[in-house]
Amino acid sequence: MYETHTAVVGTVITDPRQRTTSSGDVVLSFRMACNGRRLDRETGEWHDNGTLYLSVSCWRRLVIGVGASLTKGDPVIAYGQLRTNEYTTKDGAPRSDLEMRASAVGPDLARCIAPLARGRKAAVLVGESRPDGEVGETAQDPSLGQSSTFGEPTFGAMTDRDHAVDDVAAKPSQGEELEPVPA
């Protein structure tokens, strides 16, 4: 009812891991860290303010894009619903962990340059060889009837239905013409 949605900017600290739930849903999870720093104006030195650690879980279409795009050490922005996960360790000690159920995840373009593949361009990447000659592992998203190759620089293949949204958004308003975009 009162879900907390927030954006967290940080760094991926574990390689994303994909698993299948008992109900057959696919989920991809990774841990991220956000380091707060401040500048001491008197000394000119940076000081750490502590680190926020959280687990991020990705579901449905997000599994393909995140699995194909992010690895440990990547700068990332994650947006989603925050929850506290409380549990007991094997030793009986109570613990809690901050968890985000992500609705959007992407690279932090202030700290990296990321290639963007969408639409038909992303679909062409499926099954292609990587630079090392290996063919990447392919993930299927049964709800979309599509696949994406892990290890390739893509944010997931899109269907023709997705192009319809882009085509509508690209139509000019009355009296306005669109300039061709170089390929």
Side-chain angles (χ1 to χ4, degrees), residues 8-14 16 30-35 56 66 69-78 104-115 155:
V8 178
V9 178
T11 303
V12 178
I13 59 172
T14 62
F30 63 91
R31 299 266 302 156
M32 69 179 287
C34 176
N35 299 320
V56 180
V66 172
S69 303
L70 297 179
T71 60
K72 181 178 178 179
D74 287 344
V76 67
I77 300 173
V105 176
D108 180 359
L109 298 177
R111 298 187 292 149
C112 71
I113 297 173
F155 292 106

Side-chain angles (χ1 to χ4, degrees), residues 57-131:
S57 60
C58 305
W59 299 80
R60 297 177 195 77
R61 288 181 71 169
L62 206 49
V63 170
I64 293 172
V66 172
S69 303
L70 297 179
T71 60
K72 181 178 178 179
D74 287 344
V76 67
I77 300 173
Y79 176 82
Q81 181 182 15
L82 285 179
R83 295 180 180 181
T84 302
N85 181 20
E86 296 179 2
Y87 60 96
T88 305
T89 64
K90 293 177 184 176
D91 301 334
R95 301 285 168 122
S96 65
D97 182 28
L98 189 59
E99 182 179 354
M100 175 185 282
R101 184 174 182 150
S103 56
V105 176
D108 180 359
L109 298 177
R111 298 187 292 149
C112 71
I113 297 173
L116 176 65
R118 61 180 164 179
R120 293 186 183 111
K121 290 180 184 177
V124 171
L125 293 173
V126 174
E128 283 188 350
S129 297
R130 296 189 305 230

Side-chain angles (χ1 to χ4, degrees), residues 130-179:
R130 296 189 305 230
D132 60 2
E134 298 279 330
V135 174
E137 176 184 344
T138 301
Q140 297 287 341
D141 185 343
S143 67
L144 300 172
Q146 64 189 35
S147 65
S148 177
T149 305
F150 287 171
E152 297 293 339
T154 170
F155 292 106
M158 298 174 74
T159 64
D160 286 337
R161 182 183 72 229
D162 296 319
H163 287 290
V165 174
D166 290 342
D167 293 341
V168 170
K171 288 185 180 175
S173 59
Q174 273 188 329
E176 180 182 351
E177 291 185 32
L178 288 179
E179 294 182 17

